[in-house]
Amino acid sequence: MSEPARHSGLGAHRRPGRATGPHGRPADGRSPGRLARRFAAAFGAALTLFTAAPATALPAGGNIRPAADAAATAEYPVALTIETVTPQLAVPNGTVSITGHVTNSGKSALKGAHAAVRKPASDKPLQRRSELQGVASRTTPKGEDGTELDSPQYALPELKPGQSLPYTLSVAVSDLGLSENGVYELAVDAWGSTADNPRDRALGIARTFLPFSQGGTEAQPTKVTTLWPLVHAPVLAAQTAADNDQTLPVLRDDSLATEFAPGGRLYELVDSGSKLTGLTWVIDPDLLDAAFAMTGKYRVQKPVSEAAGKPAKEDNTVSHDASPAAEAWLNKLRAAVAKSGNQVIALPYADPDLASIAHNGADLTGMGTALDKAATAGRLTVEGRLSVDTRSDVAWPYQGYLDQQIAGIARQAGSSLVLVNGASMPDPDSVNYTPTAVRPIGNGQSAVVADDTVSSLFQKDLSTPKDQTDAAQRFLAETFTITHEQPQNQRGLLVMPPREMTAATAKVLAGALQTATDKWLAPVKLDALAQSAPDPKANTTVPSSADYPTQVRATELSADALSGTDTIQRGLDTLMRVLTLPQRVRGPFSAAMVRSLSTEWRTQAPAGDNYRRGVGKYLTELTEAVQVPKKTVVTLAGNTGQLQVSVRNDLTQTVTNLKLRLTSNQPNRLRVGKDEDLVLPASQSVTLRFNAEARNNGPVTMTAQLYTTGPDPQPYGAPRVFTVEVTSVTNGVLYVFAGAAVLLVLAALRFFRQRKRHGGRPHEDGDQPVGDGPATDGPDGAAAARPEEPQEPEATGPDPAGDGSTGGGPAQTPRASSPDGRDRATGDEKVGP
């Protein structure tokens, strides 16, 4: 047979009689009639096995051996899948169609095999969520899976190892024996033998769940809040580009162009969410800014390792025209969030990683300020881009894991509501039902705790039909059971998919919600759920940091990464003090600083490291655009003159609030004038002249350092160190210095003789030695005259300032000359770019 026979076509076969009930069937799921017909062959095969190996007792109750047995692989070589269940909810007098694949995963061919539906082991539904978990955790055929129905069956041709075939089975709901509303196991098994084992047996099984509703239920529908996240790793860079006097956004890559187009993840998320009501959209404002930036011309950095830290220019970026997909996506999103009953949660701008900051950066002074600004910017951005009211006091730590440190940081950032996963705050075993999601956690905060089992169904990419059906049917089963645990006690449920929910996963979740809505679920926005009365039996204890999962902590932004970001913030603050048009830098750069802390870098660590390095390099580029050009050796010919130092501004705006300070490492040999304030026009340099006074020849190290002016002046940029070579100090000056040295030597000899004459006895009032020189006090009580100390020589050149002062003159001061005609103004830097 080239193609397997189906229930509705050739090869499908019925056998007389129906499978017996749970008390009249064998534990392996076969009906008694078929078991009798197979008994002889099975007995012969068993006898052969027993003579070949020691006898092994069957498990208690006669169940098939579990998968953990050594022979499990050989015993159950068939892998079955259930890929569609139509409809997802069974009704009386209906028919359920099941499709999937049968694959021979063993080492020998299948012989005389078929696939069939099993009738549930009991006509009573599964009552507890623990029973659902019990069914889902089985890996091999068991008697609890029910008995195989005689019809429909799907006859399989001989399948060689590795071969796979699709199957379709349609079963009447009445044949399943469903007696009342509830959730039932729906199983399909394969039965037959293999070439290396002729024993007729169960070869494999696939399971799912089937809710059954006859209507007429009086259960209060469960209020369900579903988070619908729209986030993306940051793409906007700190740089901006100039084009026709307009400031153009620069993106680090063009990945969003695909995401916004039909078929892209972000497009499909909005498309699926637009079909739902009572949805809670959780949006990163930075994504909206990126989309808006792409509605006009924009530039994208070329994929060069150093491009991220360089100013945006034509040679390292690529120009792009406005993206119609980005504009269409924004319009589609605006319409979706405006639907009645929906709510928008504005994450802090760029979705900073609260957990990483709490654990590795809580002591950094800039983190609190960054979070405050991110929260305010997030709300304003979402409201401005989408024209909708938002809620911005909601914290969503990474994957919903919470501890006391994270709760504290969220509270400091103004978050009164925290979204938490059920693994962080599990309910006690004594609570045998599902309590409502909201619960107070102290300090004016409340947690909304997602159901861990339900949310985990959507944590991966549901890209295969099997995974999609597994998740959808389990979601329906879990929520149906939750609603009917306490039919008259309406509770609230939070569904928390991952931030990076895929398009396929979103479609499955949307479809499951639509199936259950108005039957046993009532979708509500987050505000409605948060206002529910907390269950007094629910867990309200926030775990300590010691209980935070180690594997989750391992993905956090490091303390070095956070402190580096904090250092960059301080550097940015310094840069802002000197710019005359700070708004051209503050906006994009401050946003980039917060993007450096994005939660999205958890799953893209190398990209996050590159982004942070790029921001730091770019800040360095901007800061070093205002600098003292390199100097090596400067010659000062004479004892007085001027040192000429240039400061270059390569920025496209004027710089002010700066001063230049020259510091001599040997001020006793070379002294310079006071600090010089300066204003630097855009793309120009200014030359400053500092009066200098030398006392002897030779090299002296000099440091030029820019400082900000005003309160709390800070160093600006790196210091520039150079050497001043002092030459041709006049003989008169040298003679004065030599005379001073001789006087010092004579005074020392006189002091030594006095000490020796008086035995070194100290003065009774101190260490002043007693001698026969002038008394310390004159006869009239005034201080006696001391020997005249040598005076410093006057400058031989003209007064540089023209007013008799010795301080440094202004930048435009003309150069001064000595009597011998030598030029005292020196410098070796090249003025210009």
Side-chain angles (χ1 to χ4, degrees):
M1 185 179 298
S2 61
E3 182 181 25
R6 301 182 183 274
H7 167 59
S8 57
L10 182 64
H13 57 279
R14 292 179 179 269
R15 301 200 179 191
R18 295 293 182 193
T20 61
H23 303 293
R25 71 177 191 284
D28 63 2
R30 297 292 283 172
S31 62
R34 185 176 295 108
L35 188 64
R37 290 192 294 272
R38 303 287 186 180
F39 178 75
F43 179 78
L47 185 61
T48 301
L49 289 172
F50 288 151
T51 58
T56 303
L58 289 175
N63 291 341
I64 301 298
R65 285 179 293 177
D69 268 358
T73 301
E75 188 73 6
Y76 310 112
V78 172
L80 283 103
T81 60
I82 295 176
E83 297 173 2
T84 65
V85 175
T86 310
Q88 294 177 301
L89 172 63
V91 295
N93 302 319
T95 299
V96 176
S97 179
I98 309 161
T99 68
H101 277 79
V102 180
T103 302
N104 182 2
S105 299
K107 297 181 179 180
S108 61
L110 300 184
K111 298 289 187 179
H114 66 266
V117 178
R118 286 202 180 192
K119 179 181 179 180
S122 172
D123 60 353
K124 299 295 183 183
L126 301 168
Q127 301 289 342
R128 299 286 183 187
R129 298 185 69 186
S130 58
E131 295 178 67
L132 300 180
Q133 178 58 32
V135 172
S137 63
R138 297 177 197 155
T139 57
T140 58
K142 292 182 177 293
E144 293 94 320
D145 293 315
T147 56
E148 189 182 81
L149 292 172
D150 289 336
S151 176
Q153 291 187 357
Y154 189 93
L156 298 171
E158 181 174 312
L159 285 181
K160 295 180 180 180
Q163 285 189 320
S164 179
L165 285 174
Y167 72 85
T168 298
L169 294 168
S170 295
V171 60
V173 173
S174 58
D175 288 346
L176 294 174
L178 314 182
S179 63
E180 58 184 82
N181 292 340
V183 176
Y184 296 83
E185 178 185 353
L186 180 62
V188 174
D189 70 2
W191 199 280
S193 62
T194 58
D196 62 351
N197 186 349
R199 181 167 61 92
D200 195 31
R201 66 195 189 279
L203 300 173
I205 194 169
R207 305 174 181 83
T208 189
F209 299 97
L210 183 65
F212 173 64
S213 177
Q214 303 178 87
T217 179
E218 295 181 357
Q220 294 290 320
T222 298
K223 294 185 293 185
V224 60
T225 293
T226 304
L227 304 181
W228 207 258
L230 290 180
V231 299
H232 189 278
V235 297
L236 282 169
Q239 293 92 330
T240 56
D243 183 50
N244 295 329
D245 298 326
Q246 297 294 318
T247 299
L248 294 180
V250 176
L251 280 60
R252 65 184 183 93
D253 60 51
D254 204 25
S255 58
L256 285 177
T258 302
E259 296 261 15
F260 291 145
R265 185 182 74 92
L266 293 172
Y267 177 91
E268 297 299 333
L269 286 179
V270 174
D271 187 63
S272 297
S274 65
K275 300 177 176 64
L276 302 174
T277 59
L279 206 58
T280 299
W281 298 80
V282 185
I283 301 176
D284 179 3
D286 179 49
L287 175 61
L288 301 182
D289 268 356
F292 183 77
M294 295 173 65
T295 61
K297 286 187 176 182
Y298 63 98
R299 303 190 73 89
V300 176
Q301 291 175 342
K302 290 183 178 179
V304 180
S305 59
E306 295 298 323
K310 298 292 185 180
K313 299 179 181 179
E314 289 189 3
D315 62 349
N316 59 17
T317 60
V318 178
S319 179
H320 288 260
D321 291 331
S323 168
E327 186 167 4
W329 182 82
L330 277 173
N331 291 333
K332 190 177 184 68
L333 177 59
R334 291 186 185 106
V337 299
K339 289 179 63 175
S340 178
N342 287 346
Q343 183 175 7
V344 175
I345 302 298
L347 291 171
Y349 195 91
D351 191 18
D353 191 338
L354 285 177
S356 294
I357 294 172
H359 295 152
N360 302 322
D363 57 341
L364 298 176
T365 56
M367 289 297 119
T369 302
L371 290 177
D372 289 342
K373 291 181 178 178
T376 301
R379 176 179 57 81
L380 295 176
T381 301
V382 174
E383 291 178 350
R385 299 295 186 211
L386 299 182
S387 301
V388 66
D389 291 334
T390 67
R391 180 169 183 175
S392 60
D393 65 337
V394 178
W396 188 13
Y398 178 65
Q399 292 185 353
Y401 284 102
L402 183 69
D403 64 15
Q404 294 171 3
Q405 286 179 300
I406 299 172
I409 284 290
R411 183 173 62 255
Q412 293 175 24
S415 298
S416 60
L417 202 64
V418 185
L419 305 176
V420 185
N421 67 28
S424 281
M425 298 181 67
D427 290 307
D429 294 338
S430 58
V431 180
N432 59 1
Y433 60 92
T434 305
T436 201
V438 64
R439 54 202 67 179
I441 58 175
N443 297 312
Q445 285 181 307
S446 293
V448 182
V449 181
D451 186 88
D452 194 41
T453 299
V454 172
S455 297
S456 66
L457 299 174
F458 307 100
Q459 292 297 314
K460 63 178 182 178
D461 182 17
L462 303 177
S463 57
T464 67
K466 174 188 178 300
D467 289 341
Q468 293 167 4
T469 296
D470 284 348
Q473 296 303 122
R474 182 71 181 273
F475 175 85
L476 296 175
E478 293 285 346
T479 54
F480 190 103
T481 304
I482 290 171
T483 298
H484 292 84
E485 285 172 333
Q486 293 186 341
Q488 303 307 314
N489 178 21
Q490 187 178 44
R491 282 150 296 146
L493 183 72
L494 178 65
V495 180
M496 180 192 292
R499 276 176 164 82
E500 60 278 5
M501 180 169 60
T502 66
T505 300
K507 290 179 181 179
V508 175
L509 177 53
L513 285 168
Q514 288 173 316
T515 298
T517 295
D518 297 331
K519 298 180 179 68
W520 61 86
L521 291 183
V524 298
K525 57 187 179 182
L526 181 63
D527 278 354
L529 180 62
Q531 293 167 6
S532 302
D535 191 316
K537 296 182 179 180
N539 179 20
T540 60
T541 302
V542 176
S544 67
S545 297
D547 296 324
Y548 194 82
T550 303
Q551 69 275 17
V552 180
R553 190 184 290 270
T555 66
E556 291 178 345
L557 304 184
S558 67
D560 287 343
L562 295 176
S563 61
T565 301
D566 195 54
T567 300
I568 294 173
Q569 180 64 59
R570 293 196 297 272
L572 177 62
D573 293 340
T574 301
L575 179 63
M576 292 299 100
R577 295 174 64 173
V578 306
L579 300 180
T580 53
L581 298 173
Q583 67 276 10
R584 289 170 52 178
V585 175
R586 181 188 295 113
F589 215 108
S590 295
M593 294 294 299
V594 182
R595 294 184 193 112
S596 298
L597 309 173
S598 175
T599 303
E600 292 305 298
W601 302 131
R602 289 283 193 121
T603 56
Q604 303 180 45
D609 291 339
N610 289 336
Y611 190 89
R612 282 185 291 274
R613 279 196 296 268
V615 173
K617 288 180 179 178
Y618 184 47
L619 176 62
T620 301
E621 285 277 346
L622 293 179
T623 302
E624 292 182 349
V626 180
Q627 63 172 320
V628 177
K630 289 184 178 179
K631 301 170 72 69
T632 53
V633 178
V634 176
T635 300
L636 180 65
N639 58 293
T640 62
Q642 289 183 329
L643 295 178
Q644 180 174 286
V645 181
S646 292
V647 182
R648 176 74 187 174
N649 174 20
D650 286 323
L651 297 176
T652 57
Q653 60 175 289
T654 299
V655 172
T656 186
N657 297 328
L658 276 176
K659 62 183 177 181
L660 179 63
R661 176 179 301 169
L662 286 188
T663 304
S664 172
N665 285 17
Q666 294 176 290
N668 61 317
R669 295 179 56 200
L670 178 63
R671 295 191 304 181
V672 293
K674 63 182 180 180
D675 301 349
E676 287 289 348
D677 294 341
L678 70 158
V679 175
L680 293 170
S683 303
Q684 293 186 31
S685 64
V686 171
T687 300
L688 303 176
R689 297 177 178 86
F690 291 81
N691 288 339
E693 184 177 356
R695 296 185 177 181
N696 62 346
N697 294 325
V700 177
T701 300
M702 189 71 64
T703 301
Q705 173 69 66
L706 290 169
Y707 282 85
T708 60
T709 59
D712 188 26
Q714 297 294 319
Y716 181 91
R720 184 73 72 196
V721 179
F722 59 96
T723 300
V724 176
E725 188 69 46
V726 181
T727 63
S728 301
V729 174
T730 60
N731 291 335
V733 174
L734 295 178
Y735 292 154
V736 172
F737 289 164
V742 171
L743 289 176
L744 288 174
V745 171
L746 293 175
L749 291 174
R750 183 169 177 272
F751 171 73
F752 176 78
R753 288 197 303 271
Q754 291 174 344
R755 293 277 292 187
K756 186 174 181 180
R757 183 182 306 145
H758 295 280
R761 287 179 289 106
H763 189 273
E764 60 181 358
D765 294 326
D767 293 332
Q768 175 67 35
V770 177
D772 55 3
T776 56
D777 292 320
D780 59 354
R786 297 182 179 274
E788 184 176 348
E789 296 181 356
Q791 300 296 313
E792 296 181 0
E794 295 181 358
T796 58
D799 183 4
D803 58 0
S805 66
T806 59
Q812 64 273 20
T813 301
R815 296 182 176 185
S817 297
S818 65
D820 59 6
R822 292 179 179 176
D823 188 1
R824 303 304 185 201
T826 59
D828 67 348
E829 71 273 17
K830 179 181 178 182
V831 178

